[in-house]
Amino acid sequence: MRITICCVGKVKEKFYCQAIDEYSKRLSRYCKLEVKEVADEKTPDNASDTVNDIIKAKEGERLLSCIKDEAYVIALAIDGKMLDSVQLSQKIDNLGISGKLGIDSVSHIMFVIGGSLGLDKRVLDRADFKLSFSPMTFPHQLMRVILLEQIYRSYRIMKNEPYHK
């Protein structure tokens, strides 16, 4: 299984980078992981809704350019469906077994993380599934770490391997 995380912006904080590296290393025994970063836009303080929409559209265009047609796309969205860790594991496992239409298996899952303003509507429309981790808002750099940890946990669950609860 190939898993790609498409995300807006670079992670600058050393502690986030260390966590991302650690989970990427752990995941290497379960899947082929790739992280694709697209440039973020500077968001001015007190920007109008129109300016925010323009920023999301620019970031969205960049994200769409890295999304592959054959991939099953899971967009991280606050209004998406919330799953527990076992359900996420089952979703990933089922995609690999039965595919998005229940006919062919999926060999490539792409998770998409937006920037500080979230995801553009076109990216959400392209998504095959919208996933929410919480009704709370998290920094997109931290969300990358949380997502990687949950993907790693999913594989541990699939393989019936122990992992802390």
Side-chain angles (χ1 to χ4, degrees):
M1 173 76 70
R2 278 180 40 206
I3 294 185
T4 303
I5 299 175
C6 276
C7 40
V8 173
K10 293 199 175 293
V11 175
K12 297 171 186 84
E13 293 84 355
K14 185 177 179 181
F15 56 93
Y16 286 144
C17 291
Q18 290 170 331
I20 289 165
D21 290 345
E22 179 62 27
Y23 284 112
S24 297
K25 183 178 83 178
R26 290 182 186 192
L27 277 165
S28 67
R29 64 185 279 223
Y30 300 107
C31 65
K32 184 175 186 260
L33 177 71
E34 180 180 17
V35 176
K36 291 185 175 186
E37 297 174 332
V38 300
D40 57 348
E41 292 288 316
K42 297 287 182 215
T43 306
D45 291 338
N46 303 317
S48 67
D49 289 343
T50 303
V51 170
N52 286 341
D53 288 343
I54 292 168
I55 290 169
K56 281 200 304 191
K58 286 179 182 178
E59 292 174 347
E61 194 64 42
R62 291 178 191 134
L63 287 169
L64 287 168
S65 72
C66 76
I67 293 175
K68 304 293 181 202
D69 289 341
E70 77 283 356
Y72 185 89
V73 177
I74 299 176
L76 273 58
I78 209 161
D79 64 341
K81 182 171 175 59
M82 282 195 255
L83 303 175
D84 63 28
S85 296
V86 172
Q87 290 169 321
L88 179 60
S89 174
Q90 290 168 341
K91 179 146 192 81
I92 292 170
D93 194 29
N94 288 339
L95 285 168
I97 294 169
S98 62
K100 47 178 156 174
L101 301 176
I103 300 165
D104 297 321
S105 66
V106 171
S107 63
H108 192 186
I109 299 173
M110 296 187 86
F111 290 89
V112 182
I113 303 173
S116 60
L117 298 174
L119 290 168
D120 183 61
K121 182 184 180 329
R122 292 170 301 156
V123 176
L124 293 170
D125 289 344
R126 167 55 184 93
D128 297 294
F129 185 80
K130 289 188 267 184
L131 176 65
S132 174
F133 278 83
S134 169
M136 292 186 278
T137 302
F138 296 103
H140 55 282
Q141 298 92 340
L142 177 59
M143 197 64 240
R144 201 179 307 183
V145 175
I146 294 169
L147 175 61
L148 284 167
E149 190 280 333
Q150 283 299 303
I151 295 169
Y152 174 68
R153 184 181 295 270
S154 291
Y155 276 102
R156 299 290 291 193
I157 291 168
M158 277 184 247
K159 304 289 184 187
N160 292 314
E161 296 173 349
Y163 192 61
H164 61 79
K165 296 188 185 229

